Amino acid sequence: EVQLVESGGGLVKPGGSLRLSCAASGSTFSSYSMNWVRQAPGKGLEWVASISTSSSRIYYADSVKGRFTISRDNAKNSLYLQMSSLRAEDTAVYYCASRHCTDGVCPFDDWGQGTLVTVSS
Amino acid sequence: ERVMTQSPATLSVSPGEGATLSCRASQSVSSNLAWYQQRPGQAPRLLIYGASTRATGIPARFTGSGSGTEFTLTISSLQSEDFAVYYCQQYNNWPPWTFGQGTKVEIK
């Protein structure tokens, strides 16, 4: 089990940028694939981005491709999401979530508490 | 992309009664299906994976079943802490990892 704590959310204007962080503790961070999942106010869950243990495989949802960048620093037990060209529809609570498997076929085991990003002028 | 469809959108249940939630995949996801519980103001929590395996610490009143395209989450004898929103998710074909739209279980 890994404990996850997100930070970096806040209010940003349309077209602006923001960097989210997720600090991990309690287990070997480098052995977990990591993900960002978001939830717009009153809506369901939407997967945003995923990064493998060694950062060799990175995937994005079509809705954020070209605007968001996921990265990780295993030495710092940290996950990041650099968000740029932000739009009102990016307003959401952003969760980091871990996956722990060798073949990639596994659920999202542990979740952070989330950080709210609001895009508004 | 696998589209996940949950029904019903809202389920009204009295405490102590049972509830049955459904999830359908647009194409087969084998048994690579998870259920998550989200209580108000909280992060999602993994309940069931592999369609029927309870995650660590999940009570036995939660039962998952199904394979292929049809899945069910059954909650027997609902407790106060079970009133929440439940999401199914497929992790068989990715990216993207896709979630259903959720079923809200509310107090009747």
Side-chain angles (χ1 to χ4, degrees), chain A residues 60-119:
Chain A
Y60 297 99
D62 288 344
S63 57
V64 306
K65 200 171 294 183
R67 301 187 300 121
F68 289 12
T69 301
I70 188 172
S71 63
R72 66 189 296 163
D73 186 334
N74 288 340
K76 294 183 178 180
N77 290 339
S78 293
L79 173 73
Y80 306 101
L81 185 67
Q82 178 68 48
M83 304 185 294
S84 60
S85 302
L86 282 161
R87 307 165 180 166
E89 54 266 34
D90 295 319
T91 294
V93 173
Y94 285 74
Y95 297 100
C96 63
S98 63
R99 291 186 302 121
H100 192 202
C101 55
T102 54
D103 60 359
V105 184
C106 54
F108 294 7
D109 307 275
D110 295 301
W111 297 65
Q113 86 290 348
T115 188
L116 175 63
V117 173
T118 303
V119 184

Side-chain angles (χ1 to χ4, degrees), chain A residues 42, chain B residues 5-14 18-22 75 78 82-87 101-108:
Chain B
T5 303
Q6 292 185 240
S7 61
T10 303
L11 196 54
S12 298
V13 184
S14 299
T20 300
L21 290 65
S22 296
I75 313 171
L78 270 119
D82 300 336
F83 292 95
V85 179
Y86 294 83
Y87 295 94
Q101 78 278 21
T103 291
K104 181 180 181 180
V105 178
E106 64 177 23
I107 299 176
K108 186 175 182 180

Side-chain angles (χ1 to χ4, degrees), chain A residues 37 39 43-45 47 50 59 95 99 104-109 111-112, chain B residues 32 34 36 38 42-44 46 49 87 89 91 94-97 99 101:
Chain A
V37 177
Q39 185 171 38
K43 302 298 184 182
L45 301 171
W47 167 77
S50 177
Y59 307 102
Y95 297 100
R99 291 186 302 121
V105 184
C106 54
F108 294 7
D109 307 275
W111 297 65
Chain B
N32 296 313
Y36 300 86
Q38 188 177 34
Q42 296 188 16
L46 178 65
Y49 63 94
Y87 295 94
Q89 179 217 22
Y91 53 92
W94 46 266
W97 288 261
F99 295 87
Q101 78 278 21

